[in-house]
């Protein structure tokens, strides 16, 4: 007989029918109630075994983590908390799990502990929920862009350009460290390396994305990016996934609208398709916050926070306006910020971004028109000579979730800016060709996928929303 998924059985009312389920034991109580999970839903199904007629040695094996196959009758449950259960007819152990050695016990484990056993943490409700939501968000992103006619573009993971300077890069080489060929001047001779030049793991697919957008019109990337960030924060990974749309004939306003629409679409998709998971994560968060002082607890629970985000338009203001607010803010005056805002030109730290979003506006914020000196070379220059057409979207609890801009489409201005910033116009000839041949206004942004997952799941550490986190001194599994 074919197995039925637990998810389908929990919604079934075909009482009296014969069913087969396969899954892992979560708990075994009173020598008769087995809670079984098969991953299809966060909820377990209860199987009731007649212990008087079952081998003692078999019952002993029903410990947390054991894989079982059960056939029996689907019946209406008399117990509280579930609608259906299975009256066991046959019980087979597929793989046992030594209770003395299995690290997961039927109790609450800390996220820190689970991070150390990340290969097993998929088996907890929390990570079941997190990765279901992560999947739903990924799917929704493709759906959103596909519906709009965007082309999903695969940009290279290995690149020869460190153009953007978005972060420290990981080198890619096949040279022998202990015996690397040298040039006459004593430097490593990358001409003899695999690609005949120095190569790195990409920090962003944007520059290549622009090439395609200037022909296909609307593209997006969704792939891994790598940054040798040496900062051990709860918001940075060394390997993370980024979504980068790029749109021809679009300006900064179109860009802001696209970003806001995308975020709202995918959040609403997750709410619709993962109600059980989000409910579970909401309660997990409420539980976790009980240990915090009142003033540090979130005002809204997870579902309310997500709905609030859908129901309100994002606050839009310029960097210059934001600086004024920050300069006159209480934490700045009382010197509570670690980095005090002295005046225009300062780069915003996450404490400032969070003040604007969480304390001042109490909703997502889009900041635009940053000083050109703290932004990348390709951003479109404003007429004031000081600012560029940048936009950052800041989210509560997260800080920056999106960074983007209208691109500088005017060749001469772009070349001038590159020279000022010591970026080789020769190396990036291919990028500049878009401006040489049929240049046009265009805009795009980068959305950090894990930061989005953080927001929607209410998790607080980015290492808990990616299956196998890569961070300084962390590359296990
Ligand atoms: P931050 O200031 O937070 O380091 P950034 O300015 O370096 O971000 P961008 O280069 O604009 O970020 O990248 C676009 C998006 O990618 C960011 O808005 C963020 O959501 C995400 N992102 C950037 N760096 C990381 C990282 N190390 N780990 C996870 N996500 C990241
Ligand atoms: Mn960064």
């Amino acid at each position: 007989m074919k197995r039925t998924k637990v998810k389908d059985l929990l919604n079934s009312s075909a009482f009296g029918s014969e069913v087969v389920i396969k899954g892992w034991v979560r708990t075994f109580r009173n020598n008769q109630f087995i809670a079984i999970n098969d991953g299809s839903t966060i909820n377990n199904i209860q199987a009731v075994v007649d212990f008087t007629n079952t081998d003692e040695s078999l019952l002993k094996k029903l410990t947390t983590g054991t894989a079982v196959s059960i056939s029996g009758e689907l019946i209406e449950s008399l117990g509280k908390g579930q609608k259906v259960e299975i009256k066991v007819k046959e019980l087979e152990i597929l793989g046992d799990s030594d209770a003395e050695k299995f690290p997961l016990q039927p109790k609450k484990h800390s996220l820190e502990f689970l991070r150390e056993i990340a290969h097993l943490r998929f088996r907890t409700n929390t990570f079941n929920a997190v990765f279901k939501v992560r999947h739903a968000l990924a799917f929704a992103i493709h759906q959103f862009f596909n519906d709009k006619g965007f082309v999903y573009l695969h940009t290279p993971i290995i690149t020869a350009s460190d153009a953007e300077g978005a972060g420290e890069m990981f080198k890619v080489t096949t040279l022998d460290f202990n015996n690397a060929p040298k040039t006459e001047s004593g430097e490593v001779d990358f001409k003899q390396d695999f690609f005949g030049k120095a190569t790195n793991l990409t920090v962003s697919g944007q520059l290549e994305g622009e090439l395609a957008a200037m022909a296909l019109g609307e593209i997006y990337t969704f792939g891994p990016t790598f940054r040798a960030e040496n900062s051990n924060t709860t918001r940075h990974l060394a390997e993370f996934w980024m979504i980068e749309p790029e749109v021809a004939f679009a300006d900064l306003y179109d860009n802001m609208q696209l970003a806001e629409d995308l975020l709202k679409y995918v959040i609403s998709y997750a709410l619709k398709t993962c109600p059980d998971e989000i409910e579970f994560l909401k309660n997990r968060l409420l539980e976790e916050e009980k240990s915090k002082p009142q003033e540090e607890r979130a005002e809204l629970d997870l579902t309310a926070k997500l709905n609030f985000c859908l129901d309100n338009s994002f606050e839009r203001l310029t960097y210059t306006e934001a600086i004024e607010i920050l300069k006159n803010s209480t934490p700045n005056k009382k010197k509570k910020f670690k980095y005090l805002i002295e005046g225009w030109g300062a780069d915003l730290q996450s404490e400032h971004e969070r003040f604007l979003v969480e304390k001042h506006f109490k909703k997502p914020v889009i900041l635009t028109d940053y000083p050109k000196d703290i932004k990348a070379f390709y951003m479109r220059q404003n007429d004031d000579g000081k600012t560029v057409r940048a936009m950052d979207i800041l989210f509560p609890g997260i800080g920056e979730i999106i960074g983007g801009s209208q691109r500088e489409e005017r060749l001469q201005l772009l070349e001038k800016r590159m020279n000022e910033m010591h970026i080789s116009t020769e190396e990036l000839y291919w990028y500049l060709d878009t401006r040489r041949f049929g240049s046009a206004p265009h805009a795009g942004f980068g959305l950090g996928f894990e930061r989005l997952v953080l927001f929607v799941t209410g998790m607080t550490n980015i290492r808990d929303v990616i299956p196998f986190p890569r961070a300084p001194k962390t590359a296990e599994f």
Side-chain angles (χ1 to χ4, degrees):
M1 233 176 108
K2 204 166 168 284
R3 84 168 168 120
T4 311
K5 288 188 186 174
V6 169
K7 183 178 184 159
D8 298 330
L9 286 182
L10 290 177
N11 291 322
S12 162
S13 45
F15 303 124
S17 63
E18 191 81 12
V19 296
V20 173
I21 59 157
K22 296 182 185 193
W24 292 271
V25 175
R26 281 295 173 82
T27 58
F28 182 43
R29 293 186 295 120
N30 295 357
N31 224 17
Q32 54 181 333
F33 302 115
I34 324 171
I36 297 160
N37 188 283
D38 70 354
S40 61
T41 153
I42 194 162
N43 301 310
N44 305 327
I45 195 162
Q46 175 162 291
V48 189
V49 34
D50 174 9
F51 59 91
T52 53
N53 288 313
T54 311
D55 214 3
E56 183 76 17
S57 64
L58 192 62
L59 293 174
K60 276 225 170 72
K61 287 189 170 170
L62 292 173
T63 56
T64 305
T66 292
V68 291
S69 172
I70 285 177
S71 63
E73 187 189 340
L74 189 72
I75 57 172
E76 199 163 359
S77 178
L78 300 174
K80 266 194 267 167
Q82 71 262 333
K83 201 174 83 187
V84 305
E85 61 188 29
I86 295 170
K87 200 169 143 197
V88 178
K89 287 226 174 77
E90 261 174 71
L91 168 66
E92 186 194 343
I93 306 283
L94 299 175
D96 55 13
S97 171
D98 187 342
E100 299 284 308
K101 294 188 183 136
F102 187 52
L104 289 171
Q105 293 306 317
K107 59 157 198 167
K108 230 181 148 40
H109 293 289
S110 76
L111 294 172
E112 289 76 18
F113 171 72
L114 292 173
R115 228 169 276 146
E116 282 167 25
I117 51 161
H119 60 303
L120 296 172
R121 67 180 179 171
F122 297 105
R123 300 172 182 219
T124 64
N125 282 337
T126 298
F127 287 93
N128 179 313
V130 165
F131 294 125
K132 288 277 173 58
V133 172
R134 184 180 165 109
H135 162 78
L137 289 168
F139 187 82
I141 284 163
H142 287 299
Q143 184 95 57
F144 174 85
F145 286 119
N146 185 60
D147 286 352
K148 286 189 177 301
F150 280 59
V151 173
Y152 177 27
L153 186 79
H154 296 102
T155 48
I157 290 170
I158 300 174
T159 76
S161 66
D162 169 22
E164 213 197 329
E168 285 297 307
M169 304 185 92
F170 290 100
K171 292 193 170 59
V172 175
T173 179
T174 53
L175 292 179
D176 177 358
F177 289 138
N178 298 316
N179 193 14
K182 298 278 167 65
T183 61
E184 272 172 25
S185 54
E187 281 146 17
V188 174
D189 184 7
F190 285 105
K191 284 213 176 73
Q192 297 186 47
D193 201 352
F194 187 90
F195 294 106
K197 52 165 80 171
T199 49
N200 304 296
L201 292 179
T202 184
V203 292
S204 155
Q206 180 201 318
L207 300 190
E208 291 91 349
E210 282 186 52
L211 309 181
M214 294 308 284
L216 298 168
E218 294 167 316
I219 65 96
Y220 70 105
T221 73
F222 188 169
T225 47
F226 307 85
R227 296 184 188 182
E229 309 259 18
N230 221 346
S231 49
N232 250 313
T233 78
T234 54
R235 313 258 178 277
H236 291 90
L237 288 163
E239 176 179 300
F240 64 101
W241 289 66
M242 190 145 60
I243 297 99
E244 296 182 279
E246 195 67 41
V247 183
F249 315 114
D251 63 14
L252 193 67
Y253 298 101
D254 302 320
N255 210 24
M256 289 194 274
Q257 202 54 52
L258 181 69
E260 186 167 340
D261 289 348
L262 169 67
L263 289 168
K264 287 180 170 170
Y265 179 90
V266 301
I267 291 168
S268 126
Y269 183 89
L271 276 167
K272 252 195 302 238
T273 56
C274 304
D276 292 352
E277 287 76 11
I278 290 178
E279 176 74 13
F280 175 87
L281 291 165
K282 174 187 100 179
N283 293 327
R284 190 205 70 83
L285 195 59
L286 288 174
E287 202 54 45
E288 187 184 270
E289 292 208 319
K290 279 189 187 153
S291 63
K292 287 188 186 166
Q294 189 70 44
E295 67 271 16
E296 279 175 35
R297 295 183 203 167
E299 280 170 40
L300 299 177
D301 70 30
L302 182 61
T303 327
K305 180 189 82 170
L306 297 176
N307 278 307
F308 180 84
C309 177
L310 297 182
D311 296 341
N312 291 279
S313 40
F314 298 180
E315 188 73 33
R316 298 178 184 191
L317 70 158
T318 64
Y319 164 91
T320 307
E321 289 164 334
I323 284 289
E324 276 313 301
I325 293 170
L326 289 168
K327 221 167 59 184
N328 299 319
S329 70
T330 316
N332 200 53
K333 286 185 173 154
K334 291 200 170 154
K335 302 203 184 332
K336 287 269 160 64
F337 283 145
K338 192 161 160 237
Y339 299 89
L340 292 177
I341 298 288
E342 313 277 3
W344 200 88
D347 203 352
L348 299 186
Q349 305 295 326
S350 106
E351 56 178 347
H352 307 128
E353 298 176 341
R354 294 185 63 166
F355 173 84
L356 289 170
V357 173
E358 288 158 31
K359 297 274 164 0
H360 191 84
F361 291 111
K362 295 184 191 288
K363 59 166 152 160
V365 167
I366 313 185
L367 285 188
T368 63
D369 302 285
Y370 280 72
K372 64 174 194 233
D373 292 330
I374 57 173
K375 288 291 179 189
F377 73 92
Y378 48 69
M379 297 192 179
R380 194 175 199 278
Q381 298 156 50
N382 281 321
D383 293 341
D384 62 9
K386 294 195 312 197
T387 59
V388 286
R389 289 309 252 167
M391 64 164 206
D392 277 8
I393 301 191
L394 315 178
F395 259 38
I398 308 289
E400 182 189 329
I401 193 163
I402 280 183
S405 73
Q406 186 174 335
R407 317 305 189 191
E408 182 56 82
E409 83 281 15
R410 298 161 295 185
L411 179 63
Q412 283 181 350
L413 287 173
L414 183 56
E415 281 179 331
K416 184 161 167 275
R417 191 71 193 130
M418 289 172 78
N419 289 331
E420 283 167 8
M421 294 176 79
H422 307 290
I423 292 164
S424 165
T425 51
E426 266 156 49
E427 247 175 65
L428 284 186
Y429 73 93
W430 48 271
Y431 181 69
L432 291 169
D433 269 0
T434 54
R435 276 64 168 177
R436 286 192 187 101
F437 310 114
S439 189
H442 61 289
F445 59 81
L447 163 64
F449 186 52
E450 283 74 20
R451 293 200 189 167
L452 172 67
V453 184
L454 266 183
F455 181 74
V456 179
T457 57
M459 301 296 282
T460 41
N461 190 318
I462 199 162
R463 297 176 194 203
D464 294 334
V465 298
I466 187 165
F468 303 102
R470 298 289 179 254
K473 304 282 179 285
T474 305
E476 192 75 7
F477 318 115

